[in-house]
Structures are given as structure tokens and as C-alpha cells.
């Protein structure tokens, strides 16, 4: 890490902007220590000093020929710095880095164990300190990326749940509105329905009386005797 810091600390403004906006930067920049090129064990004073130096290099005012990209690079630096100022966020980042190192150490042990089992020399490429650091770097980036993917998945799920709840809320409100309108219409037309029913009943009785008049039996004529 220190070698990377030493190498990158001499980068020009243009090179720093390129570094912060390189392909895959959305994942590379998840590691705030990588963004600021500072050792995870650095003190708060060292962190503040590094932020000032780097933010000046990529600040839009200092890069008038590439303002838009400089602004994005500056935002990445500013975000990383603010994240490390938060004790809880800083601890999470340190935990990821620690997990990356422990994973590589475990894999090295497993490789050596297998080589011993096979009766071979227990030499692995991670025995080289530089290659070990590179392995830790790659694994750490992978862990940061996995955590970010999971975070986005949770965020998408939460958004979907909120959308579904909102749709159900709107649907319930619309149903309640329709029910109120139906009830109101029912109440307003009740008198008319009652009057119509009474009229219908009255007509029915009149018709019944008329029908009864036609059912009178015919008069029987008396037979005349001769």
C-alpha cells in the first residue's frame, strides 16, 4: 500500500483525475483509503493533510481545461474524506480491508497445506510481499464491490416495497372514494326509488281490479217450458 501511495503521490492533476475516473472507478472508489491513497493506519492529521493536497490537485478551479471531469474527481475525494471522518463508516471500511487480508492469509495456508499433502515444496507466489499485497488489494476490492452490489439490491428491494405499498394505498383510497360516492348516490336517489315503488304498487292494484271485472260469471238464462 505504501508503495502504491509513494507511486501515486507524484501524479499530476491530470493523472489523478484519470486515476479517479478510470474504467471501473465506481467500484475502485468504494475503498476510501484507495481514493485518498493513504494507509489505513494513518492518523487523523495525516488524513486531513492528504485530503487537502489531493483535493487541490483535482479541484475544478485548478483544472479549467477539464472542469467536468475534475468536478467528478473532486467529489470522489470529498466523499472518501467525509466517510473516513465518520468513525462508524471508517470502522466498516477497515473491517473490509481486514477481512480481505485474512482471506488471502487463509488461502495461502490452504495452498501450503495442499502442497505438503502432495509432497511438494510449500512455496507459493504470495510468499513475495509485493504479490501478497496485490492479492490483498484485489480481494479487498472484490469485497467492497460485493457489499455495494448487496446494498444496491437492498435499496432496489426497499424501493419496490415502497412502490407496492404506495400503489396499494392509492388503490385503497380510490376504492374508499368509489364506495363513498356510491353511498352518497344511493342516499340521494332513495326517495325517488320509494316513489317509483309506490307508483308501481298503485298501478298494480288498479290493474288487478280491472282484471277482476272480467272474471264475473255470465248470467244464466232460465229455460222456457212449452
Amino acid at each position: 500500500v505504501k508503495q502504491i501511495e509513494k507511486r501515486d503521490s507524484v501524479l499530476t492533476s491530470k493523472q489523478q483525475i484519470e486515476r479517479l475516473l478510470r474504467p471501473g472507478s465506481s467500484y475502485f472508489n468504494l475503498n476510501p483509503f484507495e481514493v485518498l491513497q493513504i494507509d489505513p493506519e494513518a492518523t487523523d492529521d495525516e488524513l486531513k493533510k492528504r485530503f487537502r493536497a489531493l483535493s487541490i490537485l483535482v479541484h475544478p478551479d485548478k483544472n479549467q481545461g477539464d472542469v467536468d471531469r475534475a468536478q467528478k474527481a473532486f467529489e470522489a475525494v470529498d466523499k472518501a474524506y467525509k466517510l473516513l471522518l465518520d468513525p462508524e463508516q471508517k470502522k466498516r471500511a477497515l473491517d473490509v480491508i481486514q477481512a480481505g487480508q485474512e482471506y488471502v492469509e487463509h488461502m495461502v495456508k490452504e495452498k501450503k497445506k495442499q502442497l505438503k499433502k502432495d509432497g511438494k515444496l510449500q512455496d507459493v507466489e504470495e510468499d513475495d510481499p509485493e504479490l501478497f499485497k496485490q492479492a490483498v488489494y484485489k480481494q479487498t476490492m472484490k469485497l467492497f464491490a460485493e457489499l455495494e452490489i448487496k446494498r444496491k439490491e437492498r435499496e432496489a428491494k426497499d424501493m419496490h416495497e415502497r412502490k407496492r405499498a404506495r400503489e396499494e394505498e392509492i388503490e385503497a383510497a380510490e376504492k374508499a372514494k368509489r364506495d363513498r360516492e356510491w353511498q352518497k348516490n344511493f342516499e340521494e336517489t332513495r326517495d325517488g326509488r320509494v316513489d317509483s315503488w309506490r307508483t308501481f304498487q298503485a298501478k298494480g292494484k288498479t290493474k288487478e281490479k280491472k282484471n277482476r271485472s272480467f272474471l264475473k260469471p255470465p248470467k244464466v238464462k232460465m229455460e222456457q217450458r212449452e
Side-chain angles (χ1 to χ4, degrees):
V1 174
K2 290 186 179 296
Q3 290 181 353
I4 295 175
E5 291 174 12
K6 183 178 180 180
R7 180 198 68 197
D8 292 345
S9 63
V10 296
L11 295 179
T12 64
S13 293
K14 182 178 180 180
Q15 290 171 326
Q16 285 288 5
I17 292 173
E18 290 294 334
R19 178 183 72 86
L20 292 167
L21 301 182
R22 66 192 184 280
S25 60
S26 59
Y27 287 103
F28 286 121
N29 293 347
L30 292 172
N31 184 347
F33 297 102
E34 165 67 15
V35 173
L36 298 176
Q37 302 170 311
I38 193 169
D39 192 280
E41 298 178 359
T43 65
D44 289 343
D45 287 339
E46 290 173 332
L47 173 62
K48 188 175 183 179
K49 182 180 179 180
R50 180 56 187 159
F51 166 70
R52 286 180 175 175
L54 187 55
S55 62
I56 290 174
L57 276 177
V58 300
H59 198 283
D61 292 345
K62 300 292 183 179
N63 297 273
Q64 291 296 319
D66 197 6
V67 176
D68 291 340
R69 285 167 55 79
Q71 180 62 37
K72 292 179 180 178
F74 178 80
E75 289 173 358
V77 171
D78 186 61
K79 180 180 179 181
Y81 177 62
K82 289 178 178 178
L83 189 149
L84 292 180
L85 288 180
D86 184 330
E88 185 175 347
Q89 294 288 344
K90 182 177 181 179
K91 182 180 182 305
R92 289 178 182 175
L94 288 171
D95 287 344
V96 174
I97 293 173
Q98 181 64 29
Q101 182 170 331
E102 290 177 354
Y103 178 83
V104 174
E105 290 174 347
H106 171 73
M107 292 305 297
V108 169
K109 289 181 180 179
E110 290 298 313
K111 284 183 180 181
K112 288 179 177 292
K113 186 185 296 185
Q114 186 61 46
L115 289 171
K116 182 178 180 181
K117 184 178 179 180
D118 296 340
K120 299 179 181 179
L121 291 176
Q122 299 176 44
D123 295 331
V124 295
E125 60 180 9
E126 288 85 2
D127 287 336
D128 183 329
E130 182 60 28
L131 294 178
F132 178 81
K133 290 178 181 178
Q134 290 180 14
V136 171
Y137 173 82
K138 291 178 181 179
Q139 183 60 31
T140 300
M141 290 298 101
K142 182 179 179 180
L143 290 176
F144 272 111
E146 289 175 350
L147 289 174
E148 178 64 7
I149 291 172
K150 289 180 180 180
R151 184 192 69 78
K152 289 182 177 180
E153 289 176 347
R154 288 195 302 270
E155 189 177 81
K157 183 179 179 180
D158 291 343
M159 184 180 296
H160 175 74
E161 290 297 326
R162 288 195 298 271
K163 181 181 179 181
R164 184 178 62 81
R166 179 56 180 164
E167 289 175 348
E168 290 179 352
E169 182 181 342
I170 293 173
E171 183 179 351
E174 290 178 347
K175 183 179 182 300
K177 181 180 179 181
R178 290 194 300 270
D179 291 344
R180 288 194 301 271
E181 291 176 348
W182 185 90
Q183 186 65 30
K184 181 181 179 182
N185 183 63
F186 181 84
E187 295 294 336
E188 289 177 348
T189 59
R190 181 174 56 185
D191 293 342
R193 291 196 308 275
V194 171
D195 291 341
S196 297
W197 175 247
R198 288 173 179 170
T199 301
F200 172 77
Q201 285 185 318
K203 289 182 178 180
K205 290 180 179 179
T206 303
K207 186 175 182 180
E208 184 180 348
K209 288 181 179 180
K210 290 181 178 180
N211 290 337
R212 285 176 184 171
S213 64
F214 290 104
L215 295 176
K216 291 181 180 181
K219 291 182 180 181
V220 179
K221 295 182 179 181
M222 297 297 292
E223 294 182 359
Q224 294 181 356
R225 294 182 179 179
E226 295 180 355

